[in-house]
């Protein structure tokens, strides 16, 4: 393709090593040999043909440049490959080569064959993410931090609860892709128009046999223009990308200089800036987010190509190859980053604590108001809670201290008069104690179901 | 919205009736009441509160125009709704209204509540499609027609086999969406930052209880910014759209004037042209294809919004509502058309037969060559088969007749000399009989596994 | 449509008022009357026909519900409209109604007619943005703030320079859309198959005349299936959306609690949280970002429908209507928010200053190192600059103070020994003065071309 | 990247030769040298530095594999490149290398530098298309063929008029992209945070000077996160893709076996099927359509990345490189196919004539009805025209003959009685002559403004 350096950082280099031209050619060859072997079994070709053919072709050096020239005129890589393969065979074997198959059988099956091991690799990376996520959940189940909605500080959560969200999302996507992998990617075999022309009823059995040979699943019917299997696979990959992207977005936000609650794991040269010595760029997040965006673009191509005309696409099929293949490599690349990120994420609980305090207590106004509501009524309670936060900020005092004084003054300084719904006379007796007030301003005591959520998520993750 | 007439034809009108503002408001109310009821059960609100509240609100006339004004400043429809609801309650009930919930709990749950019945309706329409498809498959299991690849005539298939492709695709998508429906769309309940602030460990139990009240499923955790459930739902809808689109694309092509193998069912006014009396436009296909295209656009929005920041989206969440809701209506609308299309599709086997003959036999050149290969070798066999097709076309004779003459002339007229791999001397003795040749040119005898495929598909469809 | 409340907050309500069914019907009628008037001018219909027809139809109450029923069978809104229009005319006028036109002429022209005023409204909003942006640029041309790359603090810029980026982007998009508006949206008129069947050479003149009547531009040819005009319009709208989105993304990030450098303008009820009194949500940003995301989804539909088959689309055309129309309303809605945002944005220079200091000076390490390089060589200079930042942070001292001491110690404490490229002996004499060092740590003196950029941008914006 | 064979057929191989890693590295180097030269001119680096540096680096063999390793940790290709470049320089030059620039300056400028010549190549291909299209328009200005709407036969057009549509669409897209090319792709230079930190007011002049050195345009401001230039370029490329796709879709439909009105130019091996000797696949169309689909996917990525945060993207920027670069190669590849297609398209006027006759005349029912309307009234005229078509089809007679007999029978057989609006008594006298009737059934005489359109389009195309 075009300058590899531009695509490089987002894709899994490990995976790329197994998805080059030579690998794809090997997968096409694997299909052709499986086809012959299946035919040999039912006596459609002479015994020994497969072994004979395999011997001649498995070490044959296909000329990639020549195939490349042929692919432009044929429109797909199977056409020059089949020609080259036939050319490399002696006459007595030529007629058994590619017998009853069509280009799409070769390309689709080869792609499924090529991508199958990648699903395993992706699953492995997702397991690493899960393990790392679970460790963080356990360690930080009750590490308080501020929860942020619309990027504004809202109320406390725990870091464990946040990691639970990431980890559950990743695991949901893992299980979804896992179902696709467990079912097996399907072989393609239908011949020229998808009905095994020339084979009659044996066609379906051949399809089954080839699937077994290749370790692929056997579809209900050939799927030349019923692309549901591709839709299922691509959207499952997209779901994984979305789950990793979700993690990367959060980490990007939490690593901001002014937030600083987590840092990407440091590694030599990683994220350094050529000009600014103090910077550590969240490069892993950038790469993950970039991969995910490119993947969503690929998905849009695949979705738009689900409807294919009659017995073979006219461009729709051809448009699928690169998006699907690159999606796998992009997901795998993103997960490699994500696994390292989760395994080595640096957590800064002291910054989390500092950020909880940054509003002078205002983020605790909600629980304080809740505490005061029985005695003051909801409106006055809210007003007092907000007022105290404002005073605390202006005077640089602790929120709890201001609150206690205000409450001890009878709460009367605020908003004058009780709510309609509250008997003014009964207030003094029911006002909460200073201790209760202080407790209500402690974020660490107002983390809701955070710990419960971590437990519940751990249980589900281990299931 | 904007001019309904522009959107109208693509969406299910039946479904729209249940997805208007009033319905959405009813779903928001259902959530709020379920929330109170769940709290009443655990003693968090006084006994009788729910009934009291329900009585006052279930017949309350929410002012849609006022809500609409409020939604622009709040940013989501729950904010003015909650305000209006509280305003309609007496003081002693106000404090139990919306207690511990956040806007996103209301909107997400209301959407899931609103859309759940639609999944049932979609399933019903897909069953109609399946039934109609199976009937066509049975009737036309051996109705020969030409298979077309890259829109060129290729080799025979049967119409039953083609319908099997459509029907299997639709059913695969049905089962995929069915799994989503069977699991149940999830309730949303997490409070301000997703950790049930103020509820502690009871939060998770409340979430469970609200789910039961609403007939929704209970998620592992609140999913404010883990949008995997939405991704799963949207892509399953997209798969259905793709399957219907696949059907519509084929029907569009087969109804072309020059092809004419099927017609859309006629209905008064359906597909008529204002100016051209002879036309019958494949309007149902146009509407289906249009719906599917719009839906794919919606899907791209949803995929791009899977990653949402921290504890609440900043636009990402807001971007989901319309795409998701309209996708459901577009799928349902497309399926209404598809069901009628499949149930009433007019099949023209005589045109299928005529089209099989249109190349003067050339499409049977492949089986003829196959038949002649043992005696003539592959190259001469191919050449003779192609030559005969050309002569048949030019002389207006039947392909079989030309072939028989050519073969009886010894096949020698063609290409002179036998293939290297064929013993010339043995030819005459092994040349196929005129009868065999005629059989080889009969498309109806060269339909491969078409009938077997129909059987296999029927079996799978009934499973 | 579906529940308007869900779509409501993102769209311009002002614009919606002019894009309802009645408006679209009025635009269809305007086209039909322009068609008759043009024909009357060339004598193709009797004199007075247009006035006669207009009188009967301009106050005719078209039954929207009936049109809606008809649209589903006809596949587009022109079919029932033309029928209803004809039905409302006396016999002597019926034959001159819709003469020589096709549905697509009506719908395309009506859409262009409906949307033309919106382009003016969008332009007006973009001018408001420009004016507001320019005011901010002037006021804050030298208000220092920290520049952030990959969301990490990097080096100083000025707030004026940042606003210049937003404003230039918006203005570039405005000029691009302005060119589209200046050229005029094109009328559509080609008749059944786009070649003015039955009109001969007069067809092209009629097209010209109808364009003039409607205040639309006259295209080179009818454009039934050459959708370049729609592509141009939609992508220009998308560019505007992108420019507003860019603004909203930055504002979202700058309003974060921990950053706090700007706030959305406050307005009663705007951005308030139902449960958390201390919060002010950046709701305008959320709505803008949501609109932009939905718009990009619509664009993907339009791009995918540029290729339309033969003389009329089969679903491709039908898929354009809603995406295009809603895109206009979404852009206009987003710009209404953006104009208010820019006009009322609250700027907090003191927070900008505080954030510049948050790294203890580390962000000034680059200019400091630059200053020290001539005397210490690049490597030692960088090391000393970084070291001082670390000490300043740890000891809570000012960066400049630490630097001055370190430099006065001869710079020798750091990294020992001079760079290979630097003559150690010459160092002392050339070490910068304490004053120079202090200046180098002052962000306000290290704003590069910020002010120049503001001037250059202002000049271009006023051009 | 992944298996090139999969991407190969869709991309321009010529263009690829100039967009490989070595080319991209050369462009990055060109930027760095232009930067030094610009600085040398203003005296910021010693005289002779550029020449010295160029001499050492222009023949330096950058180790692509090593850069590839570095790119993953730095996150973009400039980081390892700058490091490697510096490493290859002697100490006295090191400090002037990459001075004041940031990675994004290098990558953005290098991309613009790399892609600029491609815009010229694309323009050249579009000119070939225009020339070929104009030749076809002239030759076939009055070659009648059937126009098809919703893929149904509608009314006659001429092939010249159809080609005019394709050619105008391509030329509109050419002019749009031409404006982008004429303005020049912009250089990028802003330094670390886009404000030329350390350069002060000289920064803007340097930007101007570097632009001149590289033959790029000088932007208003650096555009690190204002991506309007990329949006403009990408959508202009997308418009070209859409115009070619439009051509390919039509050709695909017209080459269908049953239609056969045009054929792709034949070339050795082009479009041949491995198994079916009679087939000639429209491979060029398939490749064009596939390229366009992939390109639209790339566009969706670019549109979604227009909003970039603060002073540098966090993944958004990184996501642009491959989509943009590949889009250029895909457009160029598609146009190579399109040029050959238009230059060598085989036209079959006899098939066009035959297809005009395929409905037995029914497509001429509209002009016939128009002719008869003055004497019979619109309803009876329509009925007679339709009736005659039906009889002609059933009896295998010519439409004109049936019409003449029916009209001569007084038209009374049809529908009994005159329309209310027609004086029955005046009919006989005004019934059209047999000659007029025959003329009305001649498609070649009912081509509307086809010839005029061709003239108008030619004039515009030559402007």
């Amino acid at each position: 393709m075009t300058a590899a350096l531009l695509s490089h950082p987002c894709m899994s280099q490990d995976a790329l090593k197994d998805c080059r031209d030579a690998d794809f050619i090997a997968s096409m060859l694997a299909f052709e040999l499986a086809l012959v072997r299946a035919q040999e079994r039912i006596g459609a070709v002479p015994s020994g043909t497969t072994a004979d053919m395999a011997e001649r072709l498995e070490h044959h050096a296909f000329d990639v440049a020549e195939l490349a020239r042929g692919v432009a005129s044929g429109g797909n890589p199977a056409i020059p490959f089949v020609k080259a393969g036939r050319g490399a065979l002696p006459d007595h074997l030529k007629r058994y080569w590619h017998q009853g198959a069509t280009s799409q059988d070769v390309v689709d099956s080869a792609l499924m064959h090529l991508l199958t091991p990648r699903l395993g690799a992706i699953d492995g990376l997702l397991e690493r993410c899960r393990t790392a996520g679970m460790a963080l959940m356990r360690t930080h189940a009750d590490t308080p931090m501020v929860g942020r909605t619309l990027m504004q500080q809202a109320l406390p959560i725990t870091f464990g609860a946040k990691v639970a969200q990431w980890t559950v999302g990743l695991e949901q996507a893992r299980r979804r892709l896992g179902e696709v992998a467990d079912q097996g990617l399907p072989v393609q075999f239908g011949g020229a128009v998808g009905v095994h022309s020339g084979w009659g009823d044996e066609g379906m059995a051949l399809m089954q046999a080839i699937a077994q040979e290749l370790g692929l699943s056997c579809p209900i019917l050939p799927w030349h223009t019923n692309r549901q299997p591709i839709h299922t696979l691509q959207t499952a990959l997209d779901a994984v990308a979305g789950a990793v992207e979700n993690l990367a977005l959060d980490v990007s936000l939490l690593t901001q200089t002014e937030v600083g609650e987590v840092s990407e794991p440091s590694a030599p040269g990683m994220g350094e800036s050529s000009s600014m010595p103090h910077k550590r760029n969240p490069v892993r997040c950038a790469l993950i987010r970039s991969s995910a965006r490119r993947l969503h673009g690929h998905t849009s191509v695949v979705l738009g190509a689900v409807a294919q005309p009659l017995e073979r696409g006219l461009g729709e099929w051809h448009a699928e190859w690169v998006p699907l293949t690159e999606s796998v490599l992009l997901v795998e690349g993103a997960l490699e980053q994500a696994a390292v990120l989760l395994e080595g994420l640096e957590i800064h609980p002291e910054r989390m604590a500092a950020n909880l305090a940054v509003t002078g207590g205002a983020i605790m106004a909600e629980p304080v108001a809740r505490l005061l509501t029985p005695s003051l009524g909801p409106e006055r309670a809210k007003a007092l809670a907000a007022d105290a936060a404002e005073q605390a900020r202006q005077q640089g005092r602790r929120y709890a201290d201001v609150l206690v004084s205000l409450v001890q003054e009878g709460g009367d300084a605020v908003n004058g008069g009780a709510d309609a719904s509250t008997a003014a006379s009964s207030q003094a007796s029911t006002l909460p104690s200073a201790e209760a007030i202080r407790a209500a301003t402690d974020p660490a005591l107002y983390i809701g179901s955070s710990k419960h959520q971590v437990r519940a998520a751990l249980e589900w993750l281990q299931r």
Side-chain angles (χ1 to χ4, degrees), chain A:
Chain A
M1 290 318 74
T2 170
L5 289 172
L6 291 172
S7 186
H8 222 80
C10 302
M11 288 190 175
S12 166
Q13 299 307 305
D14 270 2
L16 264 175
K17 282 193 200 103
D18 297 331
C19 294
R20 297 192 185 279
D21 281 320
D23 307 295
F24 182 63
I25 292 170
S27 284
M28 290 198 285
L29 181 57
F31 168 80
E32 295 287 0
L33 294 177
L35 172 67
V36 185
R37 192 169 292 118
Q39 294 180 1
E40 187 173 334
R41 275 209 213 128
I42 61 165
V45 305
S47 175
T49 303
T50 317
D52 198 353
M53 224 180 238
E55 198 182 0
R56 289 162 197 272
L57 292 177
E58 281 179 349
H59 302 291
H60 179 73
F62 286 92
D63 179 340
V64 177
E66 198 187 302
L67 295 188
R69 276 187 298 276
V71 83
S73 60
N76 71 60
I79 288 186
F81 166 74
V82 167
K83 205 169 177 177
R86 182 174 287 119
L89 290 174
D91 283 343
H92 74 280
L93 289 178
K94 276 183 172 35
R95 74 175 60 175
Y96 304 123
W97 170 252
H98 191 62
Q99 183 171 267
T102 190
S103 323
Q104 190 167 2
D105 294 337
V106 185
V107 173
D108 278 350
S109 295
L111 271 178
M112 297 301 104
H113 186 256
L114 191 76
L115 299 183
T116 291
R118 306 270 47 92
L119 299 190
I122 289 170
D123 191 75
L125 289 163
L126 280 163
E127 280 200 40
R128 274 178 59 193
C129 290
R130 184 180 61 178
T131 303
M134 287 169 70
L136 286 172
M137 286 161 67
R138 286 190 188 102
T139 310
H140 294 284
D142 48 13
T143 304
M145 70 182 289
V146 72
R148 295 169 180 95
T149 55
L150 290 97
M151 296 200 208
Q152 296 296 304
Q153 289 203 355
L155 280 173
I157 61 172
T158 73
F159 183 63
K162 170 176 286 305
V163 178
Q165 289 287 339
W166 301 338
T167 312
V168 165
L170 285 161
E171 178 69 8
Q172 286 171 319
R174 188 182 82 87
R175 292 187 188 177
R176 179 168 164 189
L177 186 63
E179 275 178 41
V180 177
D182 288 349
Q183 274 200 309
L185 300 185
V187 83
Q188 180 67 284
F189 177 65
V193 288
V195 296
H196 310 113
S197 308
W199 287 108
D201 282 2
E202 274 166 332
M204 296 289 273
L206 276 178
M207 181 167 79
Q208 173 85 49
I210 303 167
Q212 279 171 350
E213 288 289 339
L214 290 172
L216 296 172
S217 74
C218 182
I220 307 151
L221 299 179
W223 44 286
H224 290 163
T225 54
N226 166 14
R227 308 306 280 177
Q228 292 288 324
I230 299 297
H231 189 288
T232 303
L233 172 57
Q234 178 73 33
T235 54
L237 291 166
D238 193 279
V240 179
V244 204
E245 197 182 4
N246 199 34
L247 161 69
L249 175 56
D250 274 10
V251 173
S252 306
L253 290 165
L254 297 177
T255 56
Q256 288 174 103
T257 310
E258 292 84 358
V259 178
E261 300 184 355
V262 305
S263 311
E264 285 204 357
S266 51
M270 198 77 196
E272 80 188 10
S273 158
S274 58
S275 53
M276 291 166 290
H278 65 284
K279 279 196 76 184
R280 192 155 84 197
N281 284 322
V283 166
R284 295 186 195 280
C285 289
L287 297 180
I288 291 171
R289 296 185 75 208
S290 162
S291 301
R293 283 165 175 272
R294 285 178 55 193
L295 198 146
H296 297 321
H298 285 329
T299 302
S300 77
V301 176
V302 171
L303 301 186
V306 163
Q308 305 215 355
L310 304 171
E311 279 62 65
R312 183 82 45 87
L314 203 166
E316 296 90 351
W317 173 52
H318 312 70
E320 279 173 0
W321 311 328
V322 173
L324 178 61
T325 315
E326 283 199 3
S327 291
V328 169
L329 295 167
L330 288 165
V331 163
E332 196 167 338
L335 284 170
E336 286 170 356
Q337 302 290 352
V340 174
L341 192 60
L342 281 168
E343 286 164 356
L345 197 67
E346 297 173 15
I347 321 297
H348 309 300
E350 74 292 354
R351 289 296 299 271
M352 295 176 180
N355 288 333
L356 278 165
V358 95
T359 58
I363 65 159
M364 298 311 292
E366 193 260 355
V368 166
R370 206 182 261 230
L371 177 76
L372 300 175
T373 291
S375 40
L376 300 182
E379 315 251 317
R380 281 185 67 214
K382 264 192 201 179
L384 190 148
D387 222 55
E390 194 53 31
Q391 290 190 28
R393 189 158 37 214
Q394 284 176 5
Q395 304 165 8
R397 295 168 61 200
R398 298 189 50 203
Y399 185 46
D401 296 341
V402 181
L403 270 176
V404 168
S405 349
L406 285 182
V407 169
Q408 282 168 349
E409 290 163 26
D412 290 336
V414 193
N415 253 359
D419 285 8
S421 59
T422 315
S425 60
S426 67
Q427 279 179 43
S429 59
T430 59
L431 275 169
S433 67
E435 211 160 81
I437 289 170
R438 286 183 196 285
T441 65
D442 181 358
L445 298 178
Y446 200 70
I447 55 170
S449 60
S450 293
K451 287 159 75 170
H452 190 173
Q453 291 198 9
V454 169
R455 281 198 308 277
L458 284 171
E459 198 178 304
W460 179 81
L461 288 162
Q462 288 168 99
R463 226 183 276 161

